[in-house]
Amino acid sequence: MAEFPRRRDERGTVTMLIVGLAVVLLMMTAVVTDASAAYLQRQGLDTIADGAALTAADAGASGDEAYGVGLDTDLRLDAGIARAAVGDYLRRVGAYARYPGLTARVSVDAATQRVIVEVRAPIHLPLHVPGSPEHADVGATSAATVGLDE
Amino acid sequence: MIRRRDERGSALVEVCWLGILLVLPVLWIVMSVFQVQRGAFGVSAAARAAARAYALAPDDASGLARARTAARLALDDQGVHGRAPEVRVTCTPYPSDCHQGTSVITVWVHSRVVLPLMPSALGGNRPSFALDATQTVPIGQFQEISSG
């Protein structure tokens, strides 16, 4: 008599296995989709950070040293102009419209005369997987300097 | 004993029906998602390569040719073969001279990924997924003056 309950318990295990496999596959698909969305947003922010840093370094270096001091030094960066150039560039390329909630941080490294631009934007994950974050930010950092060719 | 005979073969039936009805569509979804993901990454990389090639070219005409070649190479690298990607270039504030100083170049790349295992016999064109990506590159204010 002890055999019967155990055999009844094992009914449907194949169904459970197959349904479980399908659920796991679908969840993995959702994770891959979310990861792709995050990766693509990081690529987009990379682009924006690169462009902003290049524009800022370009605008911040007035080039006066080339006439006053000589060509043996890198061009000095004006932090105020660089910062304004980043804001202007982000508006110009429509970054705020494409990534709502975008924030940009600009700093000028005096020692190396580099402009460092850090942009962050919240990401809306297309599919929700149990355990995935409710709010996530994606960020990108880029740096640029202006050098003089001999 | 009667119950035991009734249950004979039920696992086989479950595997057949669930396998066909559930697992095959799920596998198709997984394959399609990976195909689209590959295409999306490829188009993104193609836009990046095309914009860089365009910005480094000496003038607009050769820039466009190089951008098209770069986009096709980048998509080939990602395994997205088939039709050549569509490449469009716009620039502000000088639409007719993209390589002028302080210009901002925007390169738009568009391609399609054909979904797997969908024969054209189902009607019309094979179902495909449209993908596009843009890349923006600024041109510096300091420009080398060409001879002349």
Side-chain angles (χ1 to χ4, degrees):
Chain A
M1 284 305 287
E3 281 184 11
F4 274 111
R6 192 191 298 156
R7 196 161 292 170
R8 253 212 311 279
D9 280 350
E10 288 171 5
R11 274 177 59 192
T13 48
V14 176
T15 309
M16 291 313 294
L17 275 177
I18 295 176
V19 171
L21 174 71
V23 168
V24 167
L25 278 176
L26 283 175
M27 276 173 62
M28 279 171 62
T29 313
V31 169
V32 166
T33 310
D34 282 351
S36 302
Y39 175 81
L40 289 173
Q41 173 152 341
R42 204 205 66 187
Q43 291 279 89
L45 289 176
D46 259 350
T47 302
I48 285 172
D50 281 353
L54 283 173
T55 312
D58 187 57
S62 58
D64 289 342
E65 299 88 342
Y67 304 104
V69 182
L71 292 176
D72 55 346
T73 168
D74 276 351
L75 301 184
R76 198 179 52 79
L77 287 171
D78 186 314
I81 298 178
R83 210 158 271 134
V86 168
D88 186 44
Y89 177 81
L90 292 179
R91 270 188 298 279
R92 214 169 137 194
V93 301
Y96 291 112
R98 206 182 327 157
Y99 300 107
L102 180 98
T103 53
R105 226 180 42 171
V106 187
S107 53
V108 175
D109 186 351
T112 54
Q113 287 298 308
R114 290 191 309 165
V115 182
I116 300 158
V117 178
E118 193 185 337
V119 289
R120 293 195 79 77
I123 181 171
H124 172 71
L125 295 175
L127 297 171
H128 186 75
V129 186
S132 67
E134 286 291 325
H135 301 285
D137 273 8
V138 177
T141 309
S142 188
T145 186
V146 176
L148 284 174
D149 284 344
E150 287 293 318
Chain B
M1 289 304 285
I2 291 173
R3 187 186 296 153
R4 197 179 295 175
R5 242 208 324 274
D6 278 350
E7 288 172 5
R8 272 178 55 196
S10 67
L12 196 63
V13 173
E14 284 167 8
V15 168
C16 286
W17 281 109
L18 277 176
I20 292 167
L21 290 178
L22 193 65
V23 173
L24 281 186
V26 167
L27 284 179
W28 182 81
I29 289 174
V30 170
M31 281 172 68
S32 303
V33 163
F34 279 120
Q35 198 83 3
V36 171
Q37 183 200 31
R38 172 161 62 169
F41 288 3
V43 168
S44 171
R48 216 172 163 79
R52 184 143 180 79
Y54 191 92
L56 289 176
D59 55 65
D60 291 3
S62 62
L64 193 57
R66 287 186 196 181
R68 290 213 165 102
T69 312
R72 202 163 49 239
L73 279 176
L75 278 174
D76 272 347
D77 275 352
Q78 300 284 336
V80 182
H81 308 292
R83 274 188 307 177
E86 202 181 330
V87 178
R88 271 186 222 155
V89 180
T90 53
C91 12
T92 55
Y94 316 108
S96 55
D97 187 6
C98 289
H99 284 82
Q100 200 162 324
T102 70
S103 170
V104 175
I105 301 169
T106 303
V107 174
W108 177 82
V109 174
H110 177 267
S111 183
R112 280 184 173 281
V113 170
V114 176
L115 295 183
L117 301 176
M118 280 296 219
S120 51
L122 289 179
N125 296 320
R126 293 183 68 185
S128 61
F129 199 93
L131 297 162
D132 66 333
T134 56
Q135 170 89 9
T136 311
V137 182
I139 298 280
Q141 61 177 327
F142 301 116
Q143 293 288 311
E144 189 177 355
I145 297 173
S146 55
S147 58

